[in-house]
Amino acid sequence: MSPQDSQPQDSQPQPTPATGEEDARLTEQDGILTLTIDRQHKRNAISAQVTELLWKAVDLLADRDDLRCLVITGVGPYFTAGMDLSQPVGNRPGNPETQHVHPGWNLRRDYRSHHLLYDELESVEKPIIIAANGTCLGAGVEMAVSCDFRFCTPQAEFGVPEVHIGIIAGSGGTSRLTRLVGPAWGKWMAMAGKRVGAEQAKQIGLVHEVFPAETFMDDVYAFCRELTTIPAEVLGVAKLTIDMYADVQDRTVQRHIDRLATTSLSYSPDFLNRAARFGFKPR
């Protein structure tokens, strides 16, 4: 989540800061909400403060009709080095006096509070975009595969190195990653702990596009502006149904979902007004 330091260009949104957090900041303009991580002294490691702001961003996106999409990015040579392991991962730690009684249960409860953030990124009915300008590791990859669109610069590389410290990437860096890139590349990254560069990440489906570093955020925001021209209801329904198709393998069920989604959209003002330009008349 860390684009390289660069001066903003005229075609980029120049938002007014919405918050003044030390580790990250929220800005917005023209319906595009941007969260920028700025912990360069810690390689943009995800702190409790960053996590709190991520929650704030996704809640704002879900609750405000004027916000159409969220961009998650950063500054410096790292998108993020992953979770800051010097801080608690979740926000529901066990009682130290009884932790030894049910250590596994307490760990899973605490860990689940962290999982819920990525679940929310995945489920909110608006586009969420990762703009990775540099190295993206561990929880950064887990967050990225929870989002809808992923872009990076040629300098970026991706990895889930948790196996090297004796654990697996347990917040989607194994499950969601494998769902996205398939078991062969899932094993390459999450089992062997190998990194992939920008072009390789594009080839395996981990990122959608590699933009030049010089115009990176311009290109990201141009894509976002395209998204804002699409009716919000269509984007929400498309996001939900595509994820359902990935989970439901029965082709008949998939077609039923097609018809139900199309039915709900066919009577929407957005569709009726836009289709009328082509001579469409509702039956």
Side-chain angles (χ1 to χ4, degrees), residues 122 125 179 236-251 253-262 264:
E122 189 175 57
E125 294 183 31
R179 181 187 184 202
V237 171
K239 179 170 180 173
L240 292 177
T241 54
I242 290 167
D243 282 340
M244 282 192 283
Y245 299 145
D247 292 332
V248 177
Q249 300 305 309
D250 187 295
R251 295 181 66 188
V253 175
Q254 290 179 344
R255 301 303 176 266
H256 290 331
I257 295 172
D258 278 342
R259 285 190 287 275
L260 286 171
T262 302
S264 67

Side-chain angles (χ1 to χ4, degrees), residues 32 41 44 87 98 108 112 183 196 200 238 267:
I32 302 171
H41 65 291
N44 283 352
Q87 300 183 7
T98 59
R108 289 190 295 274
R112 176 60 179 154
V196 296
Q200 192 173 21
Y267 297 96

Side-chain angles (χ1 to χ4, degrees), residues 144-163:
V145 296
S146 304
C147 297
D148 304 298
F149 302 100
R150 291 161 293 279
F151 302 111
C152 71
T153 65
Q155 293 75 27
E157 61 177 7
F158 300 83
V160 279
E162 282 82 347
V163 292

